[in-house]
Amino acid sequence: MTDLTRRRLVQLTGAGLALSLAGCTSGGNGNDETTTSTTTQSGEETTTEKTTTSEPTPKDPTEPQSSATVEMWTKGDSTGFRPDIAWVEQGAIVTWKQVSGVHSTTAYHLEYDQPTRIPDEAEPWDSEVLVDEGMEFEHTFDVEGVYDYFCTPHEKVGMLGTVIVGNPSPEGQPALEPPQDMLPEAAIEKIQELNKRTKAILDG
């Protein structure tokens, strides 16, 4: 192989790598990742630079807050609450804000033909479906405990969330019981995930 042929092969390989990287995207839980590349060639040397920009996933809370805002979003095939676990002080207000898509925030409760997954003494809530971006719904959490809720249009794809109020004992919390068999498969999987994370939060 001549030096000219070898140099041309290296150049083509570098250009193909750049095109491959430029087409890479990934998403999930509301995150977007865009990858771009710049290729600089000097003789037989090829330098590829990749820049990745992504929206960070919120970390689980470490202490109760005086209030909380939860965004409701849809992006492509993904949908969810952000954050999906909120931890607030007893008596605090949680505000759900419609960012994109069509959503509700609805407590798991018999009143809404669902199994009860909120404290026995607590008032359930249902925002009904919010159809316009920027719409908000508020609920005051007066009873200490753990609350599970869902989005009525998207329960089947696992759009669920949890609110922790105060510093409750994990024992006797309906929301920390295993998910009921009647629930959609994706909802069962999400509850199992939320339960694990919530117990870790309460365990400190």
Side-chain angles (χ1 to χ4, degrees):
M1 180 181 295
T2 67
D3 289 343
L4 180 60
T5 303
R6 185 182 296 107
R7 184 178 297 109
R8 182 57 179 162
L9 177 61
V10 170
Q11 290 174 346
L12 289 173
T13 302
L17 177 61
L19 289 173
S20 175
L21 291 173
C24 292
T25 59
S26 65
N29 297 323
N31 296 336
D32 286 339
E33 184 176 289
T34 302
T35 304
T36 58
S37 63
T38 303
T39 303
T40 302
Q41 298 170 346
S42 176
E44 294 186 5
E45 296 182 1
T46 300
T47 302
T48 301
E49 297 179 357
K50 182 174 68 172
T51 302
T52 301
T53 303
S54 61
E55 182 180 344
T57 300
K59 295 181 180 179
D60 286 341
T62 57
E63 59 183 4
Q65 304 297 313
S66 58
S67 63
T69 298
V70 178
E71 295 180 340
M72 303 184 290
W73 57 269
T74 295
K75 190 174 291 185
D77 294 332
S78 299
T79 186
F81 295 105
R82 185 172 46 226
D84 55 3
I85 297 180
W87 190 7
V88 296
E89 299 170 355
Q90 191 170 351
I93 294 175
V94 175
T95 302
W96 285 268
K97 183 176 181 179
Q98 178 82 311
V99 174
S100 57
V102 176
H103 306 290
S104 83
T105 167
T106 307
Y108 272 109
H109 196 270
L110 290 175
E111 186 171 325
Y112 310 122
D113 298 322
Q114 294 284 344
T116 296
R117 300 189 61 84
I118 68 173
D120 294 336
E121 309 83 5
E123 287 292 327
W125 72 92
D126 177 24
S127 67
E128 300 185 345
V129 177
L130 307 179
V131 297
D132 295 325
E133 292 183 15
M135 294 182 70
E136 295 183 349
F137 175 84
E138 294 182 349
H139 183 74
T140 302
F141 288 84
D142 292 321
V143 178
E144 186 175 64
V146 181
Y147 299 69
D148 279 345
Y149 65 93
F150 65 102
C151 168
T152 52
H154 299 110
E155 181 192 20
K156 291 183 178 181
V157 296
M159 184 170 172
L160 281 72
T162 294
V163 176
I164 305 170
V165 179
N167 291 279
S169 168
E171 300 298 325
Q173 297 292 333
L176 295 178
E177 294 294 325
Q180 289 81 358
D181 292 339
M182 68 183 71
L183 295 173
E185 182 178 351
I188 289 175
E189 293 177 356
K190 184 65 176 180
I191 287 173
Q192 291 171 337
E193 174 201 330
L194 292 170
N195 279 359
K196 182 177 179 179
R197 291 162 55 199
T198 299
K199 290 175 181 177
I201 291 170
L202 294 176
D203 287 343

